[in-house]
């Protein structure tokens, strides 16, 4: 059986031998500025903990089809035929993309929330989605006489309610905002968010941010394109 030596992400053993059980060709890999090469995922079992790790790699000779090798009887090292790039990790899971045109800090918080949700960390996900809403709504509340009391300003749930009541955010979203309403930081302190609630929060956050940032930007761009066409005609 072919072998491969690397650190094991499952048991943290350093420089441990893996048995290579197979290779799956899933597409191509582009390493700038080199041309695309076939990419593979190698199914490897650690000799220390006997658990499986999938390593991502590319073939050294791009004409050799590594998925056609009989790995069970192969008598060479994986490094003889492939360059290993990294182990596959939860970061490779498919996650929800944020809406377009978000401010950087909101975009980053949304992406982190979506990653947490993908691996079942519902409370961490909830905290990040709330952070998105917190960033997005803080600037909407007026200061001074026209603004709400400090207590309302501080709490995300009360602030959202105040914004709905004062028609500063679209009424159509109010019903969906239920998931934010219970005040405080459930995600941060109580540890009580189940998956459904975290998904509710993700969905509401997406729609809310889309209304707030994506739609106005799309409209502005459409307007600019329209103006451009008029200018061409003139
Ligand atoms: Zn191991």
């Amino acid at each position: 059986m072919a072998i491969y030596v690397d650190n094991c992400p499952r048991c943290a053993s350093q420089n441990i031998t893996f048995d290579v059980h197979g290779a799956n060709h899933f597409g191509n890999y582009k390493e700038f500025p080199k041309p695309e090469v076939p990419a593979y995922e190698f199914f490897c079992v650690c000799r220390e903990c006997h658990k499986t790790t999938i390593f991502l790699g590319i073939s050294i000779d791009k004409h050799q089809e590594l998925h056609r090798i009989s790995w069970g009887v192969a008598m060479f090292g994986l490094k003889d035929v492939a360059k290993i790039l990294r182990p596959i990790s939860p970061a490779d899971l498919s996650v929800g993309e944020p809406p377009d045109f978000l401010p950087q800090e909101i975009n980053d918080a949304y992406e982190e929330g979506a990653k947490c949700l993908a691996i079942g960390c519902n409370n961490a996900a909830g905290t990040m989605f709330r952070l998105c809403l917190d960033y997005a709504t803080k600037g909407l509340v007026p200061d001074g006489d026209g603004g709400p009391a400090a207590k309302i300003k501080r709490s995300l749930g009360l602030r959202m309610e105040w914004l709905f009541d004062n028609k500063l955010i679209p009424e159509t979203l109010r019903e969906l905002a239920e998931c934010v309403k219970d005040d405080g930081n459930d995600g941060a302190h109580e540890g009580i968010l189940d998956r459904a609630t975290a998904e509710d929060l993700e969905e509401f956050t997406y729609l809310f941010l889309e209304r707030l940032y994506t739609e106005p930007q799309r409209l502005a761009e459409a307007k600019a394109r329209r103006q451009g066409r008029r200018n061409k005609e003139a």
Side-chain angles (χ1 to χ4, degrees):
M1 180 165 288
I3 57 160
Y4 173 60
V5 177
D6 204 335
N7 301 333
C8 176
R10 307 296 298 277
C11 68
S13 290
Q14 306 277 308
N15 292 322
I16 193 75
T17 302
F18 290 83
D19 289 314
V20 184
H21 285 250
N24 172 45
H25 172 44
F26 68 92
N28 293 321
Y29 182 85
K30 174 125 182 79
E31 211 175 7
F32 190 78
K34 295 178 197 159
E36 277 193 346
V37 287
Y40 297 89
E41 288 174 348
F42 299 97
F43 183 85
C44 302
V45 177
C46 169
R47 285 194 182 167
E48 179 64 32
C49 68
H50 307 291
K51 289 177 184 163
T52 306
T53 294
I54 298 170
F55 287 95
L56 173 69
I58 53 179
S59 52
I60 289 173
D61 172 3
K62 69 174 182 179
H63 300 296
Q64 188 179 18
E65 295 184 310
L66 302 186
H67 56 294
R68 302 207 187 278
I69 290 174
S70 299
W71 290 94
V73 295
M75 295 296 287
F76 51 80
L78 180 57
K79 282 176 187 163
D80 296 336
V81 294
K83 177 182 167 194
I84 298 303
L85 303 167
R86 60 175 177 83
I88 297 295
S89 75
D92 292 289
L93 291 172
S94 151
V95 302
E97 294 283 323
D100 292 334
F101 309 121
L102 299 186
Q104 194 62 47
E105 75 270 22
I106 299 182
N107 191 77
D108 292 349
Y110 190 99
E111 281 181 344
E112 190 171 335
K115 276 183 196 163
C116 291
L117 194 59
I119 57 169
C121 296
N122 301 326
N123 294 286
T127 303
M128 296 319 291
F129 292 133
R130 279 178 181 279
L131 184 63
C132 291
L133 296 170
D134 195 50
Y135 282 139
T137 53
K138 256 188 183 145
L140 298 177
V141 177
D143 282 324
D145 289 347
K151 181 181 159 226
I152 294 178
K153 255 181 151 170
R154 268 200 309 274
S155 132
L156 175 63
L158 297 177
R159 194 190 315 147
M160 299 276 306
E161 223 171 279
W162 188 91
L163 288 167
F164 279 120
D165 290 343
N166 287 275
K167 315 227 175 307
L168 287 166
I169 49 182
E171 181 66 26
T172 45
L173 290 172
R174 194 193 278 260
E175 202 182 317
L176 282 175
E178 282 287 304
C179 54
V180 199
K181 216 170 121 193
D182 43 331
D183 179 39
N185 298 301
D186 298 355
H189 300 304
E190 306 284 340
I192 51 158
L193 288 193
D194 58 14
R195 182 161 187 91
T197 314
E199 283 176 347
D200 284 353
L201 252 173
E202 182 190 39
E203 188 164 34
F204 172 72
T205 304
Y206 188 97
L207 291 169
F208 186 80
L209 297 175
E210 199 180 35
R211 284 298 285 270
L212 206 63
Y213 297 103
T214 316
E215 285 179 15
Q217 183 62 29
R218 288 232 170 95
L219 285 174
E221 287 182 358
K223 229 171 155 179
R225 280 195 300 273
R226 181 171 176 272
Q227 195 55 48
R229 285 191 288 269
R230 295 292 169 278
N231 290 347
K232 237 187 247 167
E233 274 171 22

